[in-house]
Amino acid sequence: MKSNKHIALLAAILLSMATATTQAKIYTWDKFNIAFEAPEGGHIPFSFFQDPNSAQVEWDEMVMTLQRYIKNENTNKKNLNERLKSRALGFNMYDTKLLEIKVKGFKCYSLEGTMPDGTRCLINYLVSNKTSTVIEVVVNYLLGNQEVVEDIIKSFSENNNQKPNEREKPKQKIQKKEDAEKQEQELKREKKRKNEKVYEC
């Protein structure tokens, strides 16, 4: 009986997370002209106001930590992927794998895995294409919300307007008239063949 209650509680938490994603808010890191879109209700712990190069946003079911670095000669794919693995090792993460997430205006290096408490974690390095900024984004979240978290990462932008990157809308495939006519003819032929088989019996 306890397990059923536990499953019901987890389902309710995941549902609240899914609902939150429909009510997005733009968050800005004014000092570095960084903006991103994430669920409403996030708050910043007071302790993070003391370090100008770091920030944190907390939700009921997700925590995001940001750290700003400066590019140097070691800022390359090989070293950043090694650093991702090292960070994961420091968190005692398991079942880890490198991901490819495209973020407009940045080169993005990402790794996801499971934390010792069973929650998920996504570690990212966003290397700006136009400034010396590198942002480390670490998101700890509940299982089932990977798509939500990846959408947040994709929304990161660096601009004076402090507007997030727009999320890609699914493209609707429009069928050509000729293709539609061919498809219709093929369906008619298939239907005719089936009818002929019935009469043969």
Side-chain angles (χ1 to χ4, degrees), residues 25-90:
K25 174 184 173 181
I26 296 173
Y27 294 80
T28 59
W29 198 358
D30 297 345
K31 183 179 175 65
F32 305 115
N33 293 325
I34 297 295
F36 60 92
E37 192 174 46
E40 288 184 343
H43 70 278
I44 301 170
F46 178 76
S47 60
F48 273 82
F49 285 109
Q50 298 171 10
D51 184 351
N53 289 308
S54 67
Q56 183 167 303
V57 188
E58 295 182 358
W59 292 264
D60 289 339
E61 57 286 295
M62 181 170 67
V63 177
M64 176 189 292
T65 304
L66 301 96
Q67 183 73 42
R68 192 250 186 179
Y69 298 99
I70 301 292
K71 287 181 192 175
N72 58 36
E73 65 277 3
N74 295 317
T75 309
N76 56 57
K77 181 177 181 178
K78 181 182 176 183
N79 288 335
L80 289 174
N81 282 339
E82 287 303 315
R83 185 161 182 168
L84 285 169
K85 293 172 185 176
S86 177
R87 292 285 279 140
L89 189 64

Side-chain angles (χ1 to χ4, degrees), residues 67-118:
Q67 183 73 42
R68 192 250 186 179
Y69 298 99
I70 301 292
K71 287 181 192 175
N72 58 36
E73 65 277 3
N74 295 317
T75 309
N76 56 57
K77 181 177 181 178
K78 181 182 176 183
N79 288 335
L80 289 174
N81 282 339
E82 287 303 315
R83 185 161 182 168
L84 285 169
K85 293 172 185 176
S86 177
R87 292 285 279 140
L89 189 64
F91 288 142
N92 292 320
M93 289 168 62
Y94 59 94
D95 291 338
T96 60
K97 66 175 180 180
L98 295 171
L99 295 182
E100 287 188 15
I101 301 176
K102 293 184 179 179
V103 184
K104 187 178 178 182
F106 296 91
K107 287 185 178 68
C108 182
Y109 304 90
S110 306
L111 177 146
E112 66 150 354
T114 304
M115 298 287 270
D117 63 359

